[in-house]
Amino acid sequence: MQYATITGWGKCVPPAILSNDDLATFMETSDEWIKPRTGISRRHISHVNTSEMATVAAKHALAAAGIDGSELDMIILATASPDTLIPNIASTVQANIGANCAAFDINAACSGFLYGMGLATAQIKSGQCQKILVVGAERLSFYIDWSRRETAVLFGDGAGAVVLEASDVAGGVLGYELNNDPEGREILKASFGTSMDRYVAESLDFYIQFDGKEIFKRAIHGMSTLSAKVLDKCGIEKDDVDWVIPHQANERIIDTLVHKMKIPPEKAFVNIAEYGNTSAATIPIAICDALAKGMIQPGQHILSCAFGAGLTSAALLLQWGERTTPLKTSDATLPPCDQTGLQLIQKAVNYFCHRD
């Protein structure tokens, strides 16, 4: 039997930072209002397209795995904010890393990375593929109406990636659960797509909309239910979980989740303060940060869970392999940016806040 094991990992966050204090310069808010409610101190704003961030993260993941892009059998790229809908941006990343394989995008919003991990695991366990690149990448700043405090304070840009490889050694991805709650479709959305009237200028005023209270309730239910199911399916007790790496949407949601599951809060990895909610990129970025801090050790059990627009939800349990350091490193980086985060969003702020 083949097992799907993470052998490489990489992230990419743009250099320009937008702090809570920056947001306070054009809307009624403050660090004292944002931080206690969300856990967020700042977020990164991209000066490049989603595919460029995804490419950098992919190159770091490939280097960490010690393989070349030409060795990949498949690329799965999770995003709700691609450069283009046609063609998919997995093909852009594929060209940038010299791969010759199947490549496609998936949109399960913030659950997208775990959906991709589930699909990749199935491909490896079936024997169809040996090496798969899974990427989560978002440029959510594209969707923000900067006059709406409830969403403007939450989201950021970034990308993360992992390489999954077939292994004869038991471990890797032990199990996963994927689900969707269609009754919640309307409580988290952005009206961008073919339903737009392309001949009416107002249709271009698309932005992220959500019902925070309803999302909070459904997110906790979805993630805790699927996490319990995957632990039961794998025969692992919650006490045997070493780390919980959840989707980084809101620190209050994470705190409530681990409390409901009766998992010690110190087992939850939280890095939302630095990045905000980067949707499909939050979990792979968190994996990279946890490894960089030396927190993940060989053989540890890691539970990851997420929720997103749809309302999607996902949970995955993996047992980390023997290696926690990269085999090689990459010098891949984004092109320089000579603007601050506030400067990068200024045109959008002027538009949505009706400034001259």
Side-chain angles (χ1 to χ4, degrees):
M1 180 178 179
Q2 291 194 132
Y3 300 89
T5 300
I6 294 177
T7 61
W9 52 90
K11 71 174 186 178
C12 174
V13 290
I17 291 169
L18 185 69
S19 70
N20 291 345
D21 290 336
D22 290 332
L23 292 173
T25 63
F26 63 86
M27 69 169 61
E28 187 178 340
T29 193
S30 66
D31 182 68
E32 291 75 21
W33 188 91
I34 299 169
K35 188 68 186 297
R37 288 170 172 79
T38 67
I40 300 168
S41 296
R42 59 185 191 170
R43 69 288 296 148
H44 295 251
I45 303 297
S46 184
H47 61 299
V48 299
N49 288 325
T50 306
S51 64
E52 291 190 59
M53 293 186 289
T55 296
V56 171
K59 288 181 176 179
H60 285 288
L62 290 170
I67 68 171
D68 189 77
S70 62
E71 299 178 53
L72 292 172
D73 300 307
M74 182 175 287
I75 299 170
I76 302 174
L77 199 154
T79 185
S81 51
D83 316 354
T84 57
L85 294 176
I86 305 172
N88 65 45
I89 66 168
S91 62
T92 306
V93 174
Q94 179 184 22
N96 291 342
I97 63 175
N100 183 20
C101 60
F104 58 95
D105 294 357
I106 59 171
N107 179 4
C110 302
S111 304
F113 178 76
L114 292 187
Y115 267 60
M117 289 285 285
L119 295 175
T121 298
Q123 288 289 307
I124 287 173
K125 287 193 171 184
S126 71
Q128 182 73 22
C129 295
Q130 298 293 306
K131 299 175 183 178
I132 300 179
L133 175 70
V134 183
V135 186
E138 303 283 9
R139 191 183 181 188
L140 293 175
S141 58
F142 174 77
Y143 288 112
I144 301 301
D145 176 342
W146 296 99
S147 70
R148 298 175 183 272
R149 183 177 66 174
E150 67 274 17
T151 52
V153 304
L154 295 177
F155 298 100
D157 303 334
V162 299
V163 172
L164 278 177
E165 292 194 52
S167 172
D168 295 329
V169 179
V173 178
L174 302 179
Y176 61 91
E177 291 287 333
L178 310 175
N179 191 46
N180 193 69
D181 173 15
E183 291 184 0
R185 287 190 76 255
E186 296 301 310
I187 65 176
L188 176 56
K189 63 182 181 179
S191 54
F192 178 82
T194 58
S195 64
M196 297 165 59
D197 186 340
R198 63 187 300 185
Y199 307 109
V200 176
E202 287 76 12
S203 68
L204 295 177
D205 288 341
F206 55 85
Y207 53 88
I208 294 175
Q209 310 167 54
F210 75 97
D211 179 339
K213 290 183 179 180
E214 189 65 21
I215 289 172
F216 192 100
K217 178 178 69 175
R218 290 176 184 256
I220 297 299
H221 174 74
M223 289 193 293
S224 62
T225 299
L226 292 193
S227 293
K229 286 180 69 175
V230 79
L231 288 173
D232 183 64
K233 180 163 65 174
C234 297
I236 300 294
E237 299 293 330
K238 64 178 182 295
D239 292 342
D240 295 324
V241 172
D242 296 289
W243 293 107
V244 178
I245 300 183
H247 168 48
Q248 309 286 311
N250 184 303
E251 194 166 358
R252 285 182 173 181
I253 290 178
I254 296 172
D255 291 344
T256 305
L257 173 69
V258 294
H259 176 75
K260 181 174 182 177
M261 294 185 66
K262 296 181 171 59
I263 292 176
E266 61 269 19
K267 287 188 174 183
F269 184 82
V270 183
N271 66 349
I272 192 172
E274 170 68 22
Y275 307 108
N277 181 351
T278 57
S279 188
T282 68
I283 290 173
I285 289 174
I287 290 173
C288 291
D289 284 1
L291 285 163
K293 292 176 182 292
M295 300 171 72
I296 295 176
Q297 296 298 314
Q300 287 187 332
H301 289 101
I302 299 170
L303 175 66
S304 190
C305 52
F307 72 95
L311 284 170
T312 61
S313 55
L316 180 143
L317 181 70
L318 66 88
Q319 185 174 14
W320 198 263
E322 296 181 357
R323 186 167 49 80
T324 59
T325 55
L327 288 177
K328 298 179 181 178
T329 58
S330 170
D331 60 0
T333 188
L334 295 178
C337 178
D338 59 1
Q339 293 181 287
T340 66
L342 192 57
Q343 289 171 329
L344 286 172
I345 69 168
Q346 192 61 59
K347 184 176 181 180
V349 169
N350 292 344
Y351 176 82
F352 285 110
C353 298
H354 306 292
R355 294 183 173 185
D356 294 330

